[in-house]
Amino acid sequence: NGAAGDYTFDATTSDSYNFSKTSTSIRLDTVATFGAVTASSIGSSSADISSTAVGNDSVSTTSLEYQYATTSNFTTILTTTAASPSSLTASNSASDTTVTSAVSGLTPGTHYWVRLKATNTGGDSFSTATDFWTAPTISSANPDHGPLAGQSSVDLTGVGFNSGEVGNYTVKFGTETATNVTYINGTTLRVDAPSHVAGPVTVTIEHSGGASFTTSTSIFDYFDKPAISGMSTYSGPIQGGNSLVI
């Protein structure tokens, strides 16, 4: 083990002749090292990934890529994404280089692990993996309307709801937070709508790990209960049929 670079080695006998021999230049390469991997801007199918990497000055190229799996041991690599930069050269290998990537095409409501892989003449090396959840999606609400006071039970239809993660979900109608978030099945959550001002709202689901999904259109409408302030007449014939203004 040692720092990367070119070395010579001395070999000396242990007998009385004290014979010695110095080698020609021998190259010692080392694998890359890494900083922590982070995931940000996590949606239902995408995320931004970042880390740092250090190669070494004696290696001409260290190639980089991010790997993704749904288990921490990476038994099966589900996908890889190109890193930016895609490689380190000798000129930028001596210090931390920020390495980023944008991944898409992920499955909603899924637990992923990601690590940075580097390959050079010293071999392959891997960063410590980090994990993140993608957000479930929401497509509709039933009923799709409710009173300003809230508290009405609403079933939300979507993809990727997880019974073990329901405690990590926050559901918002507009800017207000729903209560009693309950897992029904993988495509249905039941919540109590919060109070809100009148009008249509989008619905957002957030995971405590940082993932978030917001419906592209308003799927729930708040309305005020009608109130009667007076009528044009307060009496009429038994047989009905008379006109009045409310």
Side-chain angles (χ1 to χ4, degrees), residues 157-170:
T157 299
V159 174
F161 302 132
N162 186 291
S163 60
E165 293 300 306
V166 67
N168 291 317
Y169 295 158
T170 298

Side-chain angles (χ1 to χ4, degrees), residues 218-233:
S218 300
I219 63 170
F220 192 84
D221 199 1
Y222 280 93
F223 62 88
D224 201 359
K225 294 180 179 179
I228 298 175
S229 59
M231 297 185 294
S232 59
T233 179

Side-chain angles (χ1 to χ4, degrees), residues 80-174:
T80 62
T81 56
S84 178
S86 60
S87 63
L88 303 176
T89 62
S91 62
N92 64 3
S93 292
S95 60
D96 283 346
T97 298
T98 299
V99 182
T100 62
S101 186
V103 60
S104 59
L106 303 178
T107 302
T110 301
H111 192 193
Y112 285 96
W113 295 80
V114 56
R115 67 185 181 185
L116 180 57
K117 176 186 177 182
T119 301
N120 61 25
T121 53
D124 293 337
S125 57
F126 302 90
S127 71
T128 300
T130 193
D131 65 311
F132 64 94
W133 282 85
T134 52
T137 62
I138 295 174
S139 56
S140 63
N142 183 32
D144 62 0
H145 59 276
L148 304 187
Q151 302 307 310
S152 57
S153 180
V154 179
D155 283 353
L156 300 174
T157 299
V159 174
F161 302 132
N162 186 291
S163 60
E165 293 300 306
V166 67
N168 291 317
Y169 295 158
T170 298
V171 176
K172 293 182 178 180
F173 285 56

Side-chain angles (χ1 to χ4, degrees), residues 3-5 27 29-34 52-64 85-99 118-121:
R27 185 186 183 91
D29 295 340
T30 59
V31 296
T33 58
F34 308 95
T52 58
V54 179
N56 65 68
D57 286 334
S58 72
V59 174
S60 59
T61 302
T62 298
S63 61
L64 302 167
S86 60
S87 63
L88 303 176
T89 62
S91 62
N92 64 3
S93 292
S95 60
D96 283 346
T97 298
T98 299
V99 182
T119 301
N120 61 25
T121 53

